[in-house]
C-alpha cells in the first residue's frame, strides 16, 4: 500500500519538476501521502497536469496488472489487505484503483480538489476558484462526517482532515492574492527584541517572559541577521541542554532576507516554500529593520478585510519590482 502511495506522490513530484518546481519532501499520512511542493503552478493547465500525475501513476500500475496478471478489482481485498488468502495481485490492483478514486474526490487536499480549482480558474480568478472549491470540499467533509457517525471512524478522521485542509488552502491563496498589492513594510514586525551571538538560552528565556515575541532574531554587532530563535526551539533546548546553551547552537540559521522596499509576495513565497519561521527585512546596508512571519501576515489579511479604509504602512520610496 505504502509503495503505491509513494509512487503516486513521485508522480506529482516529477510532473512539478517539469515546470521547475522542487519537491523538498514526501510525507506519508494515515490516509495517504503528501508531496510538499515549493509552490503549486498558478497556470490552470499546469496545475491539472501536476494534480493528475499522481492518479495517472496508479492507473498505469493497475493497467499493467490487469493486462499481464489478469487482476480484478475486489472490494474484499481492500477491506482485508492483511489476509494472505487473498491474491497479492488482486490486492495490489484494488489498492491502486482505490487510490485513483479516492484522490479524485473534488476536495482539498485531494487531487480532485486541485483539478476542480484549476478548471474553475478558467472562468474565475484563482482566489474565487479556490474559495468555491474549498466550500465544496467543506460540504463533502460534512458528508464524510455524517457517514462516519454511522459506524466508520476513519471517515470522521477524513472529514476533519478535509475540512481543515480546505480552510487552509483558501487562507493560503487569499494571502498570496493580497500580497501582490502590498509591500513587506505593510506586514513586517518593527518593534522587537534581539539577541547577540554571545547570548544563551537563559537570556532568551528572560526575553520570552518580558515580551510577547515567539521568534527572536539573532544579530551581530553590525545589526546583520545571523539566525532566528523560535520559542519551541528555546523551550526544547532549555529542557534538554540547560540555560547555558549558546543560542547559536539552537537557532535556525540561514534565514532568508528581503529588502525593506520589496513587495510582500516574494517574502510570502519564501515563508511557504522553505518552511522558515520568519523572513528578515533589511535596509540597503543589510541591517535588520524588521521581520515577517506567517502569523503576522495572517493578521494583516484580517485587518485588510475588516477595515478597507485603513491606509497601509509604507516604507519611504517606491516598491521594488518583482
Amino acid at each position: 500500500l505504502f509503495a503505491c502511495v509513494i509512487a503516486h506522490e513521485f508522480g506529482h513530484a516529477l510532473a512539478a519538476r517539469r515546470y521547475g518546481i522542487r519537491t523538498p519532501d514526501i510525507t506519508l499520512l494515515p490516509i495517504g501521502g503528501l508531496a510538499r511542493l515549493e509552490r503549486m503552478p498558478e497556470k490552470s493547465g499546469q496545475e491539472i497536469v501536476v494534480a493528475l500525475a499522481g492518479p495517472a501513476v496508479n492507473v498505469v500500475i493497475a493497467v499493467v496488472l490487469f493486462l499481464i496478471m489478469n487482476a480484478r478489482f475486489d472490494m474484499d481485498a481492500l477491506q482485508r489487505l492483511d489476509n494472505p488468502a487473498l491474491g497479492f495481485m488482486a490486492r495490489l490492483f484494488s489498492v491502486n484503483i482505490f487510490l485513483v478514486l479516492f484522490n479524485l474526490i473534488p476536495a482539498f487536499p485531494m487531487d480532485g480538489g486541485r483539478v476542480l480549482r484549476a478548471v474553475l480558474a478558467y472562468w474565475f480568478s484563482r482566489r474565487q476558484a479556490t474559495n468555491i472549491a474549498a466550500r465544496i470540499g467543506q460540504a463533502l467533509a460534512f458528508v464524510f462526517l455524517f457517514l462516519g457517525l454511522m459506524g466508520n471512524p476513519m471517515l470522521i478522521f477524513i472529514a476533519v482532515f478535509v475540512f481543515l485542509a480546505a480552510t487552509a488552502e483558501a487562507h493560503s491563496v487569499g494571502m498570496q492574492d493580497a500580497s501582490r498589492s502590498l509591500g513587506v513594510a505593510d506586514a513586517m514586525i518593527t518593534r522587537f527584541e534581539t539577541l547577540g551571538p554571545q547570548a544563551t538560552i537563559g537570556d532568551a528565556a528572560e526575553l520570552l517572559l518580558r515580551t510577547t515575541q515567539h521568534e527572536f532574531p539573532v544579530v551581530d554587532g553590525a545589526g546583520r541577521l545571523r539566525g532566528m530563535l523560535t520559542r519551541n526551539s528555546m523551550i526544547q533546548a532549555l529542557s534538554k541542554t540547560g540555560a547555558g546553551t549558546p543560542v547559536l547552537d539552537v537557532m535556525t540559521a540561514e534565514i532568508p532576507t528581503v529588502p525593506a522596499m520589496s513587495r510582500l509576495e516574494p517574502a510570502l513565497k519564501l515563508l511557504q516554500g522553505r518552511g522558515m519561521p520568519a523572513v528578515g527585512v533589511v535596509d540597503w546596508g543589510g541591517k535588520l529593520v524588521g521581520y515577517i512571519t506567517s502569523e503576522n501576515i495572517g493578521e494583516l489579511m484580517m485587518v485588510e478585510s475588516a477595515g478597507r479604509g485603513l491606509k497601509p504602512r509604507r516604507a519611504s520610496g517606491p516598491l521594488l519590482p518583482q
Side-chain angles (χ1 to χ4, degrees), residues 199-213:
T200 65
I201 291 298
D203 299 326
E206 291 182 9
L207 283 182
L208 179 66
L209 296 176
R210 290 196 290 106
T211 68
T212 58
Q213 284 178 237

Side-chain angles (χ1 to χ4, degrees), residues 192 194-195 197 217-226 257 281-283 285-290:
F192 55 91
T194 63
L195 295 164
V218 180
V219 298
D220 60 20
R224 297 178 183 274
L225 183 64
R226 295 280 300 274
T257 59
V281 181
V282 297
D283 62 16
K287 182 179 179 180
L288 184 73
V289 295

Side-chain angles (χ1 to χ4, degrees), residues 96-140:
N96 280 279
I97 294 298
F98 172 76
L99 286 174
V100 172
L101 297 177
F102 179 74
N103 278 281
L104 290 182
I105 294 173
F108 291 116
M110 271 79 84
D111 303 324
R114 302 197 179 280
V115 171
L116 175 62
R117 190 254 304 278
V119 171
L120 289 171
Y122 282 111
W123 293 278
F124 302 96
S125 69
R126 182 175 175 81
R127 185 172 186 175
Q128 290 174 320
T130 301
N131 288 337
I132 294 171
R135 285 195 291 269
I136 292 174
Q138 289 168 339
L140 287 174

